[in-house]
Amino acid sequence: MENFELLRNVTIGQYIPTGSVIHRLDPRAKLLAASFLILAISFASSILANIIFLIVILIITRISRIDVKYLLRGFILGLPILIFIFVMQFLFMGRAEPAGYVFFEWGWFRITQRSLYIMALSGLRLLSFVFLTSLITMTSTTTELTHGVEQLLRPFRRVRVPSHELALILMIALRFVPTLAEEMENIMKAQASRGADIGTGRMWRPDKAAKAYLPLIVPLFLNAFRRAEDLVWAMEARGYVGGEGRTNFIQLKSRGIDYVVVIAAFLFMIFMMVFPWPSISPILRQIGFMG
Amino acid sequence: MSHPIIRLEKVHFSYEIERQEPIKALNGVDLEVRDGEYLVILGHNGSGKSTLAKHLNALLAPTEGDVWVRDWNTRETQHMRDIRTTVGMVFQTPDNQIVATIVEEDVAFGPENLGLPHDEIVRRVDWALEQVGMTEFRHRAPHLLSGGQKQRVCIAGMLAMRPDVLVLDESTAMLDPIGRKDVLSIAQRLNRQEGVTIVAITHFMEEAIHADRVVIMENGRIEMEGTPREVFSQVERLRELQMDVPPITRLALALHERHPDFPAVALTIDEFVDAFRKRVTPGRTTSHLSNSDSQTPHSGETVISMQDVGHYYMLDTPLEVKAVEHVNIDLHRDEVLGIIGHTGSGKSTIIQHMNALLKPHEGVVQVFGEDTTANETDIRAIRRRVGLAFQHPEIQLFERFVGDDVAYGPRNLGLPKEEVRERVREAMEAVGLGFEEFKDRMTFSLSGGEKRRAALAGILALRPEVLVLDEPTAGLDPVGRRQLLELIHRWHEKGITLVMVSHNMEELAEMAGRLYVVANGTTLMNGTAREIFSQVDALQAQGLDAPTVTLALHRLADEGLISREQASLYTVEAAAEFLGGMLNGKL
Amino acid sequence: MQSSGALSVRRIVITGILAAIAILLGVTRIGFIPVPNLSGNATIMHVPAIIGGVMEGPIVGLLVGAIFGLFSWLQATIPLFKDPLVAVLPRLFIGVTAYYSYAALKNNNEYLALVVGAVIGTLTNTVGVLGMAVIRGYLPLEAVVPIIPQAIAELIIAAIITVAVVAAWKRIEGGREGSTV
């Protein structure tokens, strides 16, 4: 525990203000379009479709005027785990049935059409997600997203979706991250001044590891609860009685382009879901790859 | 001015606590708040003043008796919204009142709750931010503001609801002197220019001098009531109630005792200077300066030396900021060293070098002769020998029982059980928490002052040779403050070298032999307390002040009544002795 | 004064603050306790969701879990957590299962109930996340085996922290009567 100061500068996301069209979209449009894209990526099982997603994301990145190297940074950080996943899949996925064409077999180890397909699919899909999440945090501020969530969910209040409360919770969370981070830094320094030596070296017994962390974690929670009690008083003093009858200071305005983006994203999702994607194996077979 | 806007009639209130007897906080309070007045409610912790405050806007309803806001009884929930918009309230800790991640959105929170139309919200937000002078910060994130600025945002948030009454519930307690001054002047201006009724709850008596009316609470009752002059003239009674009389009032009284012709009450420096001028002719500066410094500078061995120290935050990143530079400090064994500077001056960065929590990026820090950046230096040994207590050290408490929490440090040293016990006993006694009585008490059920002392015991248990205290009395009431200063004094007598960081000049004047002034990330001046306090102009240029007594003497010197040299006294006793001699010499 | 519905002002605030802790644990290193195992760390980022569940009920637990999941999805550097079905979905249930297992036992022995709540909540996280990773085809079942020691470490750590925090805040009686000095 020698470097304490990184805490003070915690940042959530990596907003890069380039002022592009994407940045200036109505947050509701951004959220909706992103949701459609996420849904589409989550459930597309075709290799070809996933390649198209990756290309679309790169095009959006281009429009956002964000350097692709920022996206790659997230990818490189995750590379060791990605390699672990690949190794595991390479070793064990060969036994999954139906295996399809078997390229190689040695004892229990096999390389099959299916194992290669799974590796390619998960690689492409995770890459899309890595890029997409980075893109979301680079083109929208957290405050913007909070407002987007509230106003997007507002029509659902009638079916008892507490849109305002959810947004308020999100806002309070974001509001207190830096405050609690600073407090955490102070707690760490105070315990270090009392001879604590937390976080250096590994402990073999998890119970000992946990107990070593209690001097940081317990005060963090308890001080946070105390703040919560204060905040309840303060909110009530400011006339807060829940979401009913509240008005909004922030007014989101949709322009034509916002509608275009949402509709385009929706149609793209539908198209990607219903299109009869050819399996990639017949193509490979055609070019003589699979004998 | 006379029409009551809030009426409390025989109000009793008890806190219900699970598995325990209810605690009685209010014990029959009758009080009227008049339209347009500036009312100050004084009392120390536990006197019931904050409970009283929460009755003013129906956050609490009385167990017995009634509270009326205009014509609404606060028990009637259907008038809740009317009551909350009539009586606004700002609390102690600014951080815990701000809801939104952007200043203007936070100010809008109240009006949004009221369901006001958008245009009206915008108008009110603009107006409220203007009132507290925070317009230029409207798009900032609150956590990037200073404490005083945050509190101004909280006031704006209340103002945006257009209340008739603004209750400030210890809203200055957590602020540094600049922040406190800002908040007070905003309150005074709102009262005078906008006609807002102010109810300020505080334990700082100085904040009461501009009030129309002062109420003093004790044991859930109103013990005294009157204009500031009426109340402050009863010094004996105030002492019984353990209230801290402002230094200028004490000085006037001390002079009055030596020279009965001098008025017994003075509320402001102006008033004091006027009274003095009338009784002495200019140029008569015959009296001799009675004493020199009570504490002479030490020339003991140097235990900590900082030479030309610089430190950066986020070094080697695009966000790199220089926190301090060219810092030069020498700490000698057995002295009490004071460090003055306000929030953001770099003082907290500086003291963290003293136990190697931070290491210098430029220059050299030597602790007990060892360079803290050298590889062979045992950092843990340094942290054992130099104890560091942060501001509000009670945030470090984590064990269920007080004894275990105090034992955390010694146990980290791997000491045997007996030795740990001995050290815990010693440390707890040193902070005035009896070992047998307190060791098995639940940490989190202690009072605020007891928690502060338990946390300090946790540092003393390491038996440090040097103790660095950052604002040790911050947020304590006068009683707690006094007790703690006495304890600190005793630790020093037992041989602990002290470094005390404070922005309370009276406190430093009393405790420290030598002072360093820190501003803009560097050590600006150093010298004995007298040398430093005599440079009032230089201090004020940094937004700092000298002790009130020194300020008063400087005003006398400005008028040619005493010499500049004589104006450098800083304690009430020394000044009264000297000025009293002058007055009596004239007779 | 309570607002209508299950979300009182108090619950809104507590949920927000616990979510803030969850986010904080994720963006700093404190959420990862170094223990010897494959990934090198045991995570405690899910503990706020457990604490929210046992202290304030299933809705608070669910919401804290949702925000934790959302941010771990947006912020994670581990590609596995970039699939929202892996990162977000299982996290919704952490506080919910923790609450129900705690509620079932709390009248017998509150400490035991807290331990069980923490264990069940942590299992929900581990099994849920790994289960989704397997279902989604990212991990073969065999890859789960080397993760078991970490999962056990996380159970123990979560239980200790949950008990320490909740017992201190609610001032639960029982257990030790005094300090061990």
Side-chain angles (χ1 to χ4, degrees):
Chain A
M1 204 165 61
E2 277 306 313
N3 193 359
F4 309 96
E5 67 162 282
L6 287 171
L7 272 173
R8 169 186 324 215
N9 300 291
V10 301
T11 47
I12 300 165
Q14 298 285 324
Y15 185 65
I16 302 176
T18 66
S20 75
V21 187
I22 306 284
H23 286 75
R24 284 180 286 126
L25 284 178
D26 184 326
R28 288 172 293 186
K30 246 188 269 188
L31 274 173
L32 269 180
S35 308
F36 293 144
L37 210 50
I38 289 159
L39 268 176
I41 299 171
S42 294
F43 296 106
S45 52
S46 138
I47 302 286
L48 204 57
N50 274 282
I51 292 172
I52 294 174
F53 286 131
L54 212 50
I55 294 168
V56 167
I57 290 171
L58 289 174
I59 292 171
I60 300 173
T61 310
R62 195 57 197 256
I63 300 171
S64 309
R65 285 192 251 137
I66 282 176
D67 202 326
V68 178
K69 76 168 189 244
Y70 288 119
L71 296 191
L72 286 175
R73 200 154 60 191
F75 167 70
I76 288 163
L77 279 171
L79 207 54
I81 301 286
L82 208 56
I83 291 169
F84 169 77
I85 292 172
F86 276 144
V87 170
M88 283 295 168
Q89 288 175 334
F90 184 72
L91 286 177
F92 299 108
M93 283 298 187
R95 288 192 290 163
E97 295 294 340
Y101 186 82
V102 179
F103 295 97
F104 178 84
E105 190 161 7
W106 186 68
W108 56 266
F109 174 72
R110 295 198 300 183
I111 300 173
T112 65
Q113 187 186 354
R114 185 186 169 91
S115 74
L116 289 181
Y117 162 76
I118 288 176
M119 286 173 71
L121 177 67
S122 50
L124 283 170
R125 187 186 273 163
L126 290 178
L127 202 58
S128 286
F129 279 130
V130 168
F131 287 173
L132 188 62
T133 51
S134 300
L135 203 54
I136 292 172
T137 58
M138 284 171 187
T139 57
S140 5
T141 64
T142 45
T143 311
E144 219 176 64
L145 293 179
T146 311
H147 295 309
V149 167
E150 165 161 23
Q151 308 207 5
L152 205 55
L153 292 179
R154 190 173 302 162
F156 299 98
R157 268 201 94 81
R158 254 172 287 151
V159 286
R160 302 202 18 161
V161 173
S163 60
H164 154 73
E165 284 81 355
L166 292 179
L168 184 58
I169 287 169
L170 206 51
M171 187 153 83
I172 292 172
L174 293 169
R175 155 72 188 83
F176 277 91
V177 169
T179 305
L180 294 180
E182 206 185 318
E183 185 150 276
M184 190 76 227
E185 183 180 321
N186 289 336
I187 295 168
M188 286 172 79
K189 284 177 173 171
Q191 307 301 25
S193 298
R194 292 210 273 169
D197 196 15
I198 302 164
T200 54
R202 238 152 251 285
M203 300 221 191
W204 285 96
R205 283 178 46 192
D207 59 328
K208 291 223 165 121
K211 283 188 178 138
Y213 267 72
L214 289 183
L216 302 185
I217 302 295
V218 172
L220 177 68
F221 274 96
L222 295 194
N223 293 322
F225 291 156
R226 235 162 273 142
R227 289 180 187 279
E229 289 189 332
D230 281 0
L231 188 60
V232 172
W233 288 119
M235 284 169 60
E236 291 194 341
R238 289 166 83 180
Y240 185 75
V241 285
E244 278 325 306
R246 269 188 114 243
T247 46
N248 274 68
F249 172 62
I250 297 294
Q251 308 258 298
L252 299 178
K253 286 190 188 70
S254 299
R255 295 168 299 158
I257 182 146
D258 296 308
Y259 292 99
V260 172
V261 165
V262 173
I263 291 166
F266 181 73
L267 293 178
F268 178 65
M269 174 183 75
I270 299 294
F271 172 76
M272 296 302 277
M273 280 179 166
V274 301
F275 189 81
W277 294 100
S279 168
I280 203 161
S281 37
I283 304 171
L284 292 178
R285 202 166 291 130
Q286 261 176 18
I287 56 174
F289 188 72
M290 291 190 191
Chain B
M1 187 87 174
S2 58
H3 181 71
I5 193 162
I6 305 175
R7 270 183 301 138
L8 286 82
E9 288 170 0
K10 297 190 182 51
V11 170
H12 292 257
F13 184 81
S14 303
Y15 285 100
E16 300 288 337
I17 297 177
E18 252 182 280
R19 295 182 286 246
Q20 280 178 43
E21 281 284 292
I23 294 173
K24 211 151 173 58
L26 294 180
N27 218 336
V29 173
D30 286 294
L31 180 71
E32 285 187 352
V33 179
R34 294 163 205 153
D35 205 352
E37 78 171 328
Y38 195 121
L39 173 68
V40 168
I41 301 177
L42 286 166
H44 50 75
N45 291 344
S47 61
K49 62 185 192 304
S50 276
T51 308
L52 178 69
K54 292 196 174 76
H55 278 79
L56 301 179
N57 68 343
L59 284 177
L60 293 176
T63 356
E64 252 178 81
D66 288 292
V67 179
W68 303 84
V69 174
R70 296 208 183 278
D71 295 322
W72 307 299
N73 190 315
T74 58
R75 291 174 197 284
E76 292 164 8
T77 44
Q78 72 266 32
H79 294 305
M80 199 67 80
R81 181 156 283 186
D82 297 318
I83 292 170
R84 298 262 162 90
T85 52
T86 305
V87 185
M89 188 172 295
V90 178
F91 300 86
Q92 190 174 38
T93 316
D95 260 326
N96 301 355
Q97 302 171 63
I98 297 177
V99 188
T101 46
I102 306 283
V103 166
E104 62 171 8
E105 290 180 27
D106 188 73
V107 176
F109 183 73
E112 286 178 332
N113 292 334
L114 301 179
L116 296 173
H118 179 255
D119 293 350
E120 175 65 15
I121 299 181
V122 172
R123 246 195 315 278
R124 287 190 178 197
V125 169
D126 291 345
W127 174 79
L129 284 170
E130 187 74 48
Q131 288 294 316
V132 299
M134 288 296 289
T135 307
E136 60 174 311
F137 298 99
R138 62 186 307 158
H139 298 297
R140 278 292 174 88
H143 72 272
L144 300 175
L145 303 176
S146 73
Q149 290 172 327
K150 281 184 225 175
Q151 197 64 296
R152 276 149 68 188
V153 171
C154 297
I155 294 176
M158 277 329 310
L159 287 180
M161 297 177 73
R162 288 289 198 171
D164 299 319
V165 184
L166 186 63
V167 181
L168 302 170
D169 184 4
E170 299 199 48
S171 307
T172 56
M174 293 294 179
L175 306 182
D176 66 2
I178 296 181
R180 186 175 300 162
K181 248 181 229 169
D182 286 346
V183 167
L184 285 178
S185 69
I186 288 169
Q188 281 167 20
R189 199 170 37 74
L190 286 170
N191 180 248
R192 280 195 213 113
Q193 290 174 13
E194 305 287 329
V196 178
T197 307
I198 304 282
V199 180
I201 286 123
T202 179
H203 48 236
F204 294 114
M205 279 212 123
E206 297 94 295
E207 294 181 9
I209 51 181
H210 298 293
D212 295 314
R213 203 153 59 97
V214 178
V215 160
I216 298 189
M217 293 205 52
E218 172 74 14
N219 291 328
R221 264 196 213 95
I222 290 179
E223 284 291 332
M224 289 175 83
E225 192 188 335
T227 64
R229 190 167 304 278
E230 286 162 7
V231 169
F232 284 13
S233 59
Q234 305 177 49
V235 174
E236 275 315 302
R237 185 87 185 85
L238 289 173
R239 291 227 170 105
E240 273 169 44
L241 295 171
Q242 296 183 298
M243 297 305 302
D244 216 12
V245 183
I248 198 70
T249 313
R250 274 189 287 147
L251 181 57
L253 185 72
L255 269 184
H256 172 74
E257 281 163 1
R258 287 174 174 79
H259 186 83
D261 179 40
F262 197 87
V265 187
L267 297 184
T268 62
I269 291 179
D270 286 337
E271 200 184 320
F272 177 85
V273 171
D274 278 346
F276 194 81
R277 189 196 299 115
K278 282 186 198 133
R279 288 167 180 78
V280 74
T281 34
R284 284 188 53 114
T285 52
T286 47
S287 309
H288 249 284
L289 214 50
S290 49
N291 61 339
S292 57
D293 279 301
S294 48
Q295 283 148 310
T296 45
H298 282 267
S299 50
E301 152 209 11
T302 301
V303 284
I304 296 178
S305 109
M306 300 178 71
Q307 286 157 32
D308 217 22
V309 168
H311 189 92
Y312 300 82
Y313 284 121
M314 305 296 283
L315 188 67
D316 298 332
T317 73
L319 298 170
E320 183 176 295
V321 204
K322 192 158 205 169
V324 296
E325 61 181 339
H326 306 304
V327 170
N328 290 291
I329 290 179
D330 285 307
L331 176 68
H332 308 299
R333 194 176 285 282
D334 290 336
E335 75 171 332
V336 181
L337 184 73
I339 295 180
I340 313 174
H342 42 74
T343 321
S345 62
K347 59 180 179 168
S348 100
T349 307
I350 291 174
I351 58 170
Q352 287 173 39
H353 282 84
M354 293 182 171
N355 77 341
L357 278 176
L358 297 178
K359 290 174 187 167
H361 296 133
E362 292 162 2
V364 183
V365 176
Q366 287 190 313
V367 183
F368 298 108
E370 291 192 75
D371 186 336
T372 57
T373 50
N375 284 332
E376 64 275 13
T377 303
D378 181 356
I379 298 295
R380 294 188 62 180
I382 286 181
R383 295 200 183 139
R384 197 158 61 226
R385 297 176 75 183
V386 182
L388 176 66
F390 284 90
Q391 219 179 109
H392 304 293
E394 54 276 15
I395 64 159
Q396 76 188 26
L397 299 173
F398 71 101
E399 284 280 8
R400 272 183 83 198
F401 300 104
V402 176
D404 288 326
D405 208 288
V406 177
Y408 179 65
R411 280 176 184 158
N412 279 332
L413 299 180
L415 296 173
K417 207 170 172 347
E418 279 314 302
E419 170 81 13
V420 170
R421 189 184 167 87
E422 212 27 60
R423 285 188 173 214
V424 171
R425 178 194 299 277
E426 177 192 290
M428 287 180 64
E429 303 290 346
V431 298
L433 298 175
F435 177 71
E436 294 302 334
E437 188 191 344
F438 278 92
K439 75 176 167 59
D440 298 328
R441 288 271 288 273
M442 295 263 220
T443 315
F444 302 105
S445 62
L446 298 180
S447 75
E450 286 167 347
K451 274 187 198 155
R452 173 78 47 96
R453 286 187 274 151
L456 291 173
I459 297 160
L460 288 173
L462 289 159
R463 291 204 182 133
E465 294 163 55
V466 176
L467 184 58
V468 183
L469 299 160
D470 189 0
E471 298 283 349
T473 62
L476 295 182
D477 69 357
V479 181
R481 186 177 283 257
R482 185 91 342 258
Q483 283 173 346
L484 187 57
L485 287 178
E486 272 161 29
L487 290 170
I488 294 172
H489 198 71
R490 241 182 280 158
W491 304 339
H492 177 235
E493 280 174 350
K494 281 194 183 150
I496 298 181
T497 306
L498 286 172
V499 177
M500 221 171 120
V501 180
S502 181
H503 39 231
N504 185 322
M505 297 301 154
E506 263 80 24
E507 229 169 75
L508 284 175
E510 183 183 328
M511 303 287 295
R514 236 159 35 92
L515 293 172
Y516 281 89
V517 177
V518 176
N520 305 323
T522 192
T523 36
L524 212 63
M525 310 187 236
N526 73 86
T528 63
R530 263 186 86 167
E531 285 163 6
I532 296 292
F533 292 142
S534 66
Q535 304 176 55
V536 172
D537 294 337
L539 285 171
Q540 284 178 337
Q542 296 304 326
L544 295 163
D545 255 335
T548 314
V549 170
T550 316
L551 291 177
L553 291 174
H554 267 261
R555 285 284 303 282
L556 296 179
D558 288 344
E559 308 218 354
L561 297 170
I562 60 173
S563 74
R564 285 278 156 211
E565 215 264 305
Q566 291 160 335
S568 62
L569 293 172
Y570 51 82
T571 62
V572 170
E573 291 70 29
E577 191 65 32
F578 164 62
L579 295 176
M582 269 181 83
L583 287 176
N584 287 327
K586 198 196 115 192
L587 280 175
Chain C
M1 195 160 55
Q2 303 256 310
S3 60
S4 53
L7 282 170
S8 62
V9 180
R10 190 189 135 73
R11 285 201 166 145
I12 290 174
V13 171
I14 296 234
T15 309
I17 294 259
L18 284 170
I21 296 180
I23 298 171
L24 177 67
L25 293 176
V27 291
T28 64
R29 296 295 304 160
I30 301 153
F32 309 88
I33 295 182
V35 289
N37 64 44
L38 195 72
S39 77
N41 295 303
T43 173
I44 54 167
M45 290 183 290
H46 65 291
V47 171
I50 294 175
I51 290 178
V54 298
M55 278 178 45
E56 295 292 332
I59 293 176
V60 172
L62 180 135
L63 290 174
V64 176
I67 296 179
F68 158 52
L70 197 64
F71 277 84
S72 80
W73 173 62
L74 283 174
Q75 295 275 111
T77 51
I78 296 173
L80 200 55
F81 293 120
K82 285 299 181 182
D83 185 330
L85 291 173
V86 178
V88 185
L89 191 65
R91 266 69 187 266
L92 300 177
F93 303 102
I94 298 171
V96 181
T97 58
Y99 166 76
Y100 284 109
S101 42
Y102 162 79
L105 290 168
K106 81 168 171 195
N107 289 331
N108 297 331
N109 180 334
E110 193 151 12
Y111 279 98
L112 181 69
L114 286 172
V115 170
V116 173
V119 166
I120 299 289
T122 308
L123 276 176
T124 307
N125 184 40
T126 315
V127 174
V129 167
L130 290 177
M132 280 313 288
V134 171
I135 291 170
R136 298 283 286 161
Y138 301 124
L139 287 182
L141 207 52
E142 290 84 348
V144 172
V145 178
I147 303 174
I148 289 174
Q150 169 174 0
I152 293 170
E154 283 176 7
L155 292 182
I156 297 168
I157 290 171
I160 291 174
I161 290 176
T162 305
V163 169
V165 169
V166 179
W169 183 249
K170 292 179 77 182
R171 294 174 199 159
I172 295 173
E173 294 188 4
R176 273 190 291 123
E177 289 297 314
S179 66
T180 53
V181 194

